Each structure stands twice: as structure tokens, then as C-alpha cells.
Amino acid sequence: MTTGRSVPELRTKRLLLRQWRDEDLVPFAALNADPRVTEFFPASLSKVESDAMAARLRLHLEEQGLGFWAVEVLGGRPVRRMPRTLPARV
């Protein structure tokens, strides 16, 4: 269900914050199923649970105009999974 409300995008030189798209579902489900990503969550999510969460996030963003945005790294590779270690802070 959609409200028809347009969700604005926020763009910087490196990032695009935007509404969720159908092509986000597979990589989002992979992140939600990865035990390293969900280590401090109550549980990992199945594909069905992940898709339902994405639908709720999408609808909330449309209805309220705020919420969890999808983030793209412009000119970069899409995030498919979390790295084993995070880079050290400088």
C-alpha cells in the first residue's frame, strides 16, 4: 500500500539517501540473515521477515516523511555484506 506521497532524496557528493526500492530487498535480506551483522539483535531474519521489515520501513517513510532511508554510495560498489573488520579510525 502506498500513499502516493513523494519521498524526497538527500544527495551529497558521496551518498544518496532515498526511498527503498524492490532491488534493495535481496541485499537487505542478506544483511539481516548474516550472524555477524545481527550479533546484537534478538535474532537474524528470514527473507520473508526481512521483506516485511523493508515494506514497513518504506510505508513509514511515505506516510510520515521520516524514518530509515536506503543509503547508496555514489560511484561505489553496493554493500552486499558487512566487512569482517571495520577500518581503524584515523
CSV table of all heavy atoms in Angstrom, one decimal, residues 43-84:
chain,number,residue,atom,x,y,z
A,43,ALA,N,17.5,-11.8,17.0
A,43,ALA,CA,17.7,-12.9,16.1
A,43,ALA,C,17.9,-12.4,14.6
A,43,ALA,O,17.6,-11.3,14.3
A,43,ALA,CB,16.4,-13.8,16.1
A,44,SER,N,18.5,-13.3,13.8
A,44,SER,CA,18.6,-13.0,12.4
A,44,SER,C,17.2,-13.1,11.8
A,44,SER,O,16.3,-13.7,12.3
A,44,SER,CB,19.5,-14.0,11.7
A,44,SER,OG,20.8,-13.9,12.2
A,45,LEU,N,17.0,-12.5,10.6
A,45,LEU,CA,15.7,-12.5,9.9
A,45,LEU,C,15.7,-13.4,8.7
A,45,LEU,O,16.7,-13.5,8.0
A,45,LEU,CB,15.3,-11.1,9.5
A,45,LEU,CG,15.2,-10.1,10.6
A,45,LEU,CD1,14.8,-8.7,10.0
A,45,LEU,CD2,14.2,-10.5,11.7
A,46,SER,N,14.6,-14.1,8.5
A,46,SER,CA,14.5,-14.8,7.2
A,46,SER,C,14.2,-13.8,6.1
A,46,SER,O,13.9,-12.6,6.4
A,46,SER,CB,13.3,-15.8,7.4
A,46,SER,OG,12.1,-15.0,7.4
A,47,LYS,N,14.2,-14.3,4.9
A,47,LYS,CA,13.9,-13.5,3.7
A,47,LYS,C,12.5,-12.9,3.9
A,47,LYS,O,12.3,-11.7,3.6
A,47,LYS,CB,14.0,-14.3,2.4
A,47,LYS,CG,13.6,-13.5,1.2
A,47,LYS,CD,14.7,-12.6,0.7
A,47,LYS,CE,14.4,-12.1,-0.8
A,47,LYS,NZ,13.5,-11.0,-0.9
A,48,VAL,N,11.5,-13.7,4.3
A,48,VAL,CA,10.2,-13.2,4.4
A,48,VAL,C,10.1,-12.1,5.5
A,48,VAL,O,9.4,-11.0,5.3
A,48,VAL,CB,9.2,-14.4,4.8
A,48,VAL,CG1,7.8,-13.9,5.1
A,48,VAL,CG2,9.1,-15.3,3.6
A,49,GLU,N,10.7,-12.3,6.6
A,49,GLU,CA,10.8,-11.3,7.7
A,49,GLU,C,11.5,-10.0,7.3
A,49,GLU,O,11.0,-8.9,7.6
A,49,GLU,CB,11.4,-11.9,8.9
A,49,GLU,CG,10.7,-13.0,9.6
A,49,GLU,CD,11.5,-13.8,10.6
A,49,GLU,OE1,12.7,-13.9,10.4
A,49,GLU,OE2,10.9,-14.2,11.6
A,50,SER,N,12.6,-10.2,6.6
A,50,SER,CA,13.3,-9.0,6.1
A,50,SER,C,12.5,-8.2,5.1
A,50,SER,O,12.5,-7.0,5.1
A,50,SER,CB,14.6,-9.5,5.4
A,50,SER,OG,15.4,-8.4,5.0
A,51,ASP,N,11.8,-8.9,4.1
A,51,ASP,CA,11.0,-8.2,3.2
A,51,ASP,C,9.8,-7.5,3.9
A,51,ASP,O,9.5,-6.4,3.5
A,51,ASP,CB,10.4,-9.2,2.1
A,51,ASP,CG,11.5,-9.7,1.2
A,51,ASP,OD1,12.6,-9.2,1.2
A,51,ASP,OD2,11.1,-10.6,0.4
A,52,ALA,N,9.3,-8.1,4.9
A,52,ALA,CA,8.2,-7.4,5.7
A,52,ALA,C,8.7,-6.2,6.4
A,52,ALA,O,8.0,-5.1,6.4
A,52,ALA,CB,7.6,-8.4,6.7
A,53,MET,N,9.9,-6.3,6.9
A,53,MET,CA,10.5,-5.1,7.6
A,53,MET,C,10.8,-4.0,6.5
A,53,MET,O,10.4,-2.8,6.8
A,53,MET,CB,11.8,-5.5,8.2
A,53,MET,CG,12.5,-4.2,8.9
A,53,MET,SD,14.2,-4.6,9.5
A,53,MET,CE,13.8,-5.3,11.0
A,54,ALA,N,11.3,-4.3,5.4
A,54,ALA,CA,11.5,-3.3,4.3
A,54,ALA,C,10.2,-2.7,3.9
A,54,ALA,O,10.1,-1.4,3.7
A,54,ALA,CB,12.2,-3.9,3.1
A,55,ALA,N,9.1,-3.4,3.8
A,55,ALA,CA,7.8,-2.9,3.5
A,55,ALA,C,7.3,-1.9,4.5
A,55,ALA,O,6.8,-0.8,4.2
A,55,ALA,CB,6.8,-4.0,3.3
A,56,ARG,N,7.6,-2.2,5.8
A,56,ARG,CA,7.2,-1.3,6.9
A,56,ARG,C,8.0,-0.1,6.8
A,56,ARG,O,7.5,1.0,7.0
A,56,ARG,CB,7.3,-2.0,8.2
A,56,ARG,CG,6.3,-3.1,8.5
A,56,ARG,CD,6.3,-3.6,9.9
A,56,ARG,NE,7.6,-4.0,10.4
A,56,ARG,CZ,8.0,-5.3,10.3
A,56,ARG,NH1,7.3,-6.2,9.6
A,56,ARG,NH2,9.2,-5.6,10.7
A,57,LEU,N,9.3,-0.2,6.6
A,57,LEU,CA,10.2,1.0,6.5
A,57,LEU,C,9.8,1.9,5.4
A,57,LEU,O,9.7,3.1,5.5
A,57,LEU,CB,11.6,0.5,6.3
A,57,LEU,CG,12.3,-0.2,7.5
A,57,LEU,CD1,13.6,-0.7,7.1
A,57,LEU,CD2,12.3,0.7,8.7
A,58,ARG,N,9.5,1.3,4.2
A,58,ARG,CA,9.0,2.0,3.0
A,58,ARG,C,7.7,2.8,3.3
A,58,ARG,O,7.6,4.0,3.0
A,58,ARG,CB,8.9,1.1,1.9
A,58,ARG,CG,8.5,1.7,0.5
A,58,ARG,CD,8.3,0.7,-0.6
A,58,ARG,NE,9.5,0.0,-0.9
A,58,ARG,CZ,9.5,-0.8,-1.9
A,58,ARG,NH1,8.5,-1.0,-2.8
A,58,ARG,NH2,10.7,-1.5,-2.2
A,59,LEU,N,6.8,2.1,3.8
A,59,LEU,CA,5.5,2.7,4.1
A,59,LEU,C,5.6,3.8,5.1
A,59,LEU,O,5.0,4.9,5.0
A,59,LEU,CB,4.5,1.7,4.6
A,59,LEU,CG,3.0,2.1,4.8
A,59,LEU,CD1,2.4,2.7,3.5
A,59,LEU,CD2,2.2,1.0,5.3
A,60,HIS,N,6.4,3.6,6.2
A,60,HIS,CA,6.5,4.6,7.2
A,60,HIS,C,7.2,5.9,6.6
A,60,HIS,O,6.7,7.0,6.9
A,60,HIS,CB,7.4,4.1,8.4
A,60,HIS,CG,7.4,5.0,9.6
A,60,HIS,ND1,8.3,6.0,9.7
A,60,HIS,CD2,6.6,5.0,10.6
A,60,HIS,CE1,8.1,6.6,10.9
A,60,HIS,NE2,7.0,6.1,11.4
A,61,LEU,N,8.2,5.7,5.8
A,61,LEU,CA,8.8,6.9,5.1
A,61,LEU,C,7.8,7.6,4.3
A,61,LEU,O,7.8,8.9,4.3
A,61,LEU,CB,10.0,6.4,4.3
A,61,LEU,CG,11.1,7.3,4.0
A,61,LEU,CD1,11.8,7.8,5.3
A,61,LEU,CD2,12.1,6.7,3.0
A,62,GLU,N,7.0,6.9,3.6
A,62,GLU,CA,5.9,7.6,2.7
A,62,GLU,C,4.9,8.3,3.6
A,62,GLU,O,4.5,9.4,3.3
A,62,GLU,CB,5.2,6.5,1.9
A,62,GLU,CG,5.9,6.2,0.6
A,62,GLU,CD,5.0,5.3,-0.3
A,62,GLU,OE1,3.8,5.2,0.0
A,62,GLU,OE2,5.5,4.8,-1.2
A,63,GLU,N,4.4,7.6,4.6
A,63,GLU,CA,3.4,8.2,5.4
A,63,GLU,C,3.8,9.3,6.3
A,63,GLU,O,3.1,10.3,6.5
A,63,GLU,CB,2.7,7.1,6.3
A,63,GLU,CG,1.9,6.2,5.5
A,63,GLU,CD,1.3,5.1,6.3
A,63,GLU,OE1,1.7,4.9,7.5
A,63,GLU,OE2,0.4,4.4,5.8
A,64,GLN,N,5.0,9.2,6.9
A,64,GLN,CA,5.5,10.1,7.9
A,64,GLN,C,6.5,11.1,7.4
A,64,GLN,O,6.8,12.1,8.1
A,64,GLN,CB,6.1,9.4,9.1
A,64,GLN,CG,5.1,8.4,9.8
A,64,GLN,CD,3.9,9.0,10.3
A,64,GLN,OE1,3.9,10.1,10.9
A,64,GLN,NE2,2.7,8.4,10.1
A,65,GLY,N,7.1,10.8,6.3
A,65,GLY,CA,8.2,11.7,5.8
A,65,GLY,C,9.5,11.6,6.5
A,65,GLY,O,10.4,12.3,6.3
A,66,LEU,N,9.6,10.6,7.4
A,66,LEU,CA,10.8,10.3,8.1
A,66,LEU,C,10.9,8.9,8.4
A,66,LEU,O,9.9,8.2,8.4
A,66,LEU,CB,10.9,11.2,9.4
A,66,LEU,CG,9.7,11.0,10.4
A,66,LEU,CD1,10.1,10.0,11.4
A,66,LEU,CD2,9.4,12.3,11.0
A,67,GLY,N,12.1,8.4,8.8
A,67,GLY,CA,12.3,7.0,9.1
A,67,GLY,C,13.7,6.5,8.6
A,67,GLY,O,14.6,7.3,8.5
A,68,PHE,N,13.8,5.3,8.4
A,68,PHE,CA,15.0,4.7,7.9
A,68,PHE,C,15.1,4.7,6.4
A,68,PHE,O,14.3,4.1,5.7
A,68,PHE,CB,15.2,3.2,8.4
A,68,PHE,CG,15.3,3.1,9.9
A,68,PHE,CD1,14.2,2.9,10.7
A,68,PHE,CD2,16.6,3.3,10.4
A,68,PHE,CE1,14.4,2.8,12.1
A,68,PHE,CE2,16.8,3.2,11.8
A,68,PHE,CZ,15.7,3.0,12.6
A,69,TRP,N,16.0,5.5,5.8
A,69,TRP,CA,16.2,5.6,4.4
A,69,TRP,C,17.2,4.5,3.9
A,69,TRP,O,18.0,4.1,4.6
A,69,TRP,CB,16.9,7.0,4.1
A,69,TRP,CG,16.0,8.2,4.6
A,69,TRP,CD1,15.7,8.5,5.8
A,69,TRP,CD2,15.5,9.2,3.7
A,69,TRP,NE1,14.9,9.6,5.8
A,69,TRP,CE2,14.8,10.1,4.6
A,69,TRP,CE3,15.6,9.4,2.4
A,69,TRP,CZ2,14.2,11.2,4.1
A,69,TRP,CZ3,15.0,10.6,1.9
A,69,TRP,CH2,14.3,11.4,2.7
A,70,ALA,N,17.0,4.2,2.7
A,70,ALA,CA,18.1,3.4,2.0
A,70,ALA,C,19.2,4.3,1.7
A,70,ALA,O,19.0,5.5,1.3
A,70,ALA,CB,17.5,2.8,0.7
A,71,VAL,N,20.4,3.8,1.8
A,71,VAL,CA,21.6,4.6,1.5
A,71,VAL,C,22.4,4.0,0.4
A,71,VAL,O,22.7,2.8,0.4
A,71,VAL,CB,22.5,4.8,2.8
A,71,VAL,CG1,23.8,5.6,2.5
A,71,VAL,CG2,21.7,5.3,3.9
A,72,GLU,N,22.8,4.8,-0.6
A,72,GLU,CA,23.6,4.4,-1.7
A,72,GLU,C,24.9,5.1,-1.6
A,72,GLU,O,24.9,6.3,-1.3
A,72,GLU,CB,23.0,4.7,-3.0
A,72,GLU,CG,22.0,3.8,-3.6
A,72,GLU,CD,21.6,4.2,-5.0
A,72,GLU,OE1,22.4,4.5,-5.8
A,72,GLU,OE2,20.4,4.1,-5.2
A,73,VAL,N,26.0,4.4,-1.9
A,73,VAL,CA,27.3,5.1,-2.0
A,73,VAL,C,27.5,5.4,-3.5
A,73,VAL,O,27.5,4.5,-4.3
A,73,VAL,CB,28.5,4.2,-1.5
A,73,VAL,CG1,29.8,4.9,-1.8
A,73,VAL,CG2,28.3,3.8,-0.1
A,74,LEU,N,27.5,6.7,-3.8
A,74,LEU,CA,27.5,7.1,-5.2
A,74,LEU,C,28.9,6.8,-5.9
A,74,LEU,O,29.9,7.0,-5.3
A,74,LEU,CB,27.2,8.6,-5.4
A,74,LEU,CG,25.8,9.0,-4.9
A,74,LEU,CD1,25.7,10.5,-4.9
A,74,LEU,CD2,24.7,8.3,-5.7
A,75,GLY,N,28.8,6.1,-7.0
A,75,GLY,CA,30.1,5.8,-7.7
A,75,GLY,C,30.8,4.6,-7.1
A,75,GLY,O,31.9,4.3,-7.5
A,76,GLY,N,30.2,4.0,-6.1
A,76,GLY,CA,30.9,2.9,-5.4
A,76,GLY,C,30.1,1.6,-5.6
A,76,GLY,O,29.1,1.5,-6.2
A,77,ARG,N,30.7,0.5,-5.0
A,77,ARG,CA,30.1,-0.8,-5.1
A,77,ARG,C,28.9,-0.8,-4.1
A,77,ARG,O,29.0,-0.3,-3.0
A,77,ARG,CB,31.1,-1.9,-4.8
A,77,ARG,CG,32.2,-2.0,-5.8
A,77,ARG,CD,33.1,-3.1,-5.4
A,77,ARG,NE,33.3,-3.2,-4.0
A,77,ARG,CZ,34.1,-4.0,-3.4
A,77,ARG,NH1,34.9,-4.8,-4.1
A,77,ARG,NH2,34.2,-4.0,-2.1
A,78,PRO,N,27.9,-1.5,-4.4
A,78,PRO,CA,26.8,-1.7,-3.4
A,78,PRO,C,27.2,-2.5,-2.3
A,78,PRO,O,28.1,-3.4,-2.4
A,78,PRO,CB,25.7,-2.4,-4.2
A,78,PRO,CG,26.3,-3.0,-5.4
A,78,PRO,CD,27.6,-2.2,-5.7
A,79,VAL,N,26.7,-2.3,-1.1
A,79,VAL,CA,27.0,-3.1,0.1
A,79,VAL,C,26.3,-4.4,0.0
A,79,VAL,O,25.1,-4.5,-0.1
A,79,VAL,CB,26.6,-2.4,1.3
A,79,VAL,CG1,26.9,-3.2,2.6
A,79,VAL,CG2,27.4,-1.0,1.5
A,80,ARG,N,27.0,-5.5,-0.1
A,80,ARG,CA,26.4,-6.8,-0.1
A,80,ARG,C,26.5,-7.5,1.2
A,80,ARG,O,25.7,-8.4,1.5
A,80,ARG,CB,27.1,-7.7,-1.2
A,80,ARG,CG,27.0,-7.1,-2.6
A,80,ARG,CD,25.6,-7.3,-3.1
A,80,ARG,NE,25.5,-6.9,-4.4
A,80,ARG,CZ,24.5,-6.3,-5.0
A,80,ARG,NH1,23.4,-6.1,-4.2
A,80,ARG,NH2,24.5,-5.9,-6.2
A,81,ARG,N,27.5,-7.2,2.0
A,81,ARG,CA,27.6,-7.8,3.3
A,81,ARG,C,28.6,-6.9,4.1
A,81,ARG,O,29.3,-6.1,3.6
A,81,ARG,CB,28.1,-9.2,3.3
A,81,ARG,CG,29.5,-9.4,2.7
A,81,ARG,CD,29.9,-10.8,2.8
A,81,ARG,NE,31.3,-10.9,2.5
A,81,ARG,CZ,31.9,-11.5,1.5
A,81,ARG,NH1,31.1,-12.0,0.6
A,81,ARG,NH2,33.2,-11.5,1.3
A,82,MET,N,28.6,-7.1,5.4
A,82,MET,CA,29.5,-6.4,6.3
A,82,MET,C,30.9,-6.9,6.2
A,82,MET,O,31.1,-8.1,6.0
A,82,MET,CB,29.0,-6.5,7.7
A,82,MET,CG,27.6,-5.8,8.0
A,82,MET,SD,27.6,-4.1,7.7
A,82,MET,CE,28.5,-3.5,9.1
A,83,PRO,N,31.9,-6.0,6.3
A,83,PRO,CA,33.3,-6.5,6.3
A,83,PRO,C,33.6,-7.2,7.6
A,83,PRO,O,32.9,-7.0,8.6
A,83,PRO,CB,34.1,-5.2,6.2
A,83,PRO,CG,33.2,-4.1,6.7
A,83,PRO,CD,31.8,-4.6,6.4
A,84,ARG,N,34.6,-8.1,7.5
A,84,ARG,CA,34.9,-8.8,8.7
A,84,ARG,C,35.5,-7.9,9.8
A,84,ARG,O,35.2,-8.1,11.0
A,84,ARG,CB,36.0,-9.9,8.4
A,84,ARG,CG,35.4,-11.0,7.7
A,84,ARG,CD,36.5,-12.2,7.6
A,84,ARG,NE,35.9,-13.2,6.7
A,84,ARG,CZ,35.4,-14.3,7.2
A,84,ARG,NH1,35.2,-14.4,8.5
A,84,ARG,NH2,34.9,-15.2,6.4
